[in-house]
Amino acid sequence: MMGPGGFAYSSLWTIWFDDEGASLPLVVPIDDVPEHPDDQLVDNLMLGMRQPLDASAATSLAMLLSRPGGASMRPGDRAWARTLIAAAQRHQLTMWPVHLATHGRVRAFRPDDLVADQQ
């Protein structure tokens, strides 16, 4: 996923899990995602996420946003996490916490992270 200097561009990674929490052998990267999400794009993405859930033993999904640059969360990172969570809820998808991967760090978005730019 990451080269020696970090990530070359922003991507959104999706992996599916069964009801026991085991990952399915399917990881889908979506490369060159924009800095800020587009609601229609994310809604269409969530429609596509339903297919593996309907066609396999998958019961939930996890999403990771990766991007070049430092580990500090940016407003665009938070916007992506909020948009993904809201779209998953609208489409009734069970989703694990959204994660952020930057050079040398992977972490989950906490509730406090999601409201930081909205105050």
Side-chain angles (χ1 to χ4, degrees), residues 42-50 63 84 87-88 91 93 95:
V42 173
D43 267 334
N44 290 338
L45 173 67
M46 288 301 168
L47 288 171
M49 296 300 112
R50 178 142 291 303
M63 301 188 98
L84 291 168
H91 292 276
L93 299 173
M95 189 164 76

Side-chain angles (χ1 to χ4, degrees), residues 45-65:
L45 173 67
M46 288 301 168
L47 288 171
M49 296 300 112
R50 178 142 291 303
Q51 185 176 14
L53 290 168
D54 292 341
S56 71
T59 58
S60 63
L61 65 120
M63 301 188 98
L64 176 134
L65 176 66

Side-chain angles (χ1 to χ4, degrees), residues 34-114:
E35 182 178 349
H36 293 276
D38 172 87
D39 289 338
Q40 186 62 47
L41 170 81
V42 173
D43 267 334
N44 290 338
L45 173 67
M46 288 301 168
L47 288 171
M49 296 300 112
R50 178 142 291 303
Q51 185 176 14
L53 290 168
D54 292 341
S56 71
T59 58
S60 63
L61 65 120
M63 301 188 98
L64 176 134
L65 176 66
S66 64
R67 63 159 173 76
S72 296
M73 282 189 183
R74 301 174 180 170
D77 302 333
R78 291 183 184 95
W80 266 106
R82 284 191 300 267
T83 302
L84 291 168
I85 292 166
Q89 290 172 344
R90 279 193 306 277
H91 292 276
Q92 299 178 339
L93 299 173
T94 302
M95 189 164 76
W96 294 46
V98 177
H99 285 70
L100 173 66
T102 56
H103 182 65
R105 186 166 187 189
V106 175
R107 62 181 163 167
F109 286 91
R110 301 171 314 194
D112 288 351
D113 296 327
L114 300 176

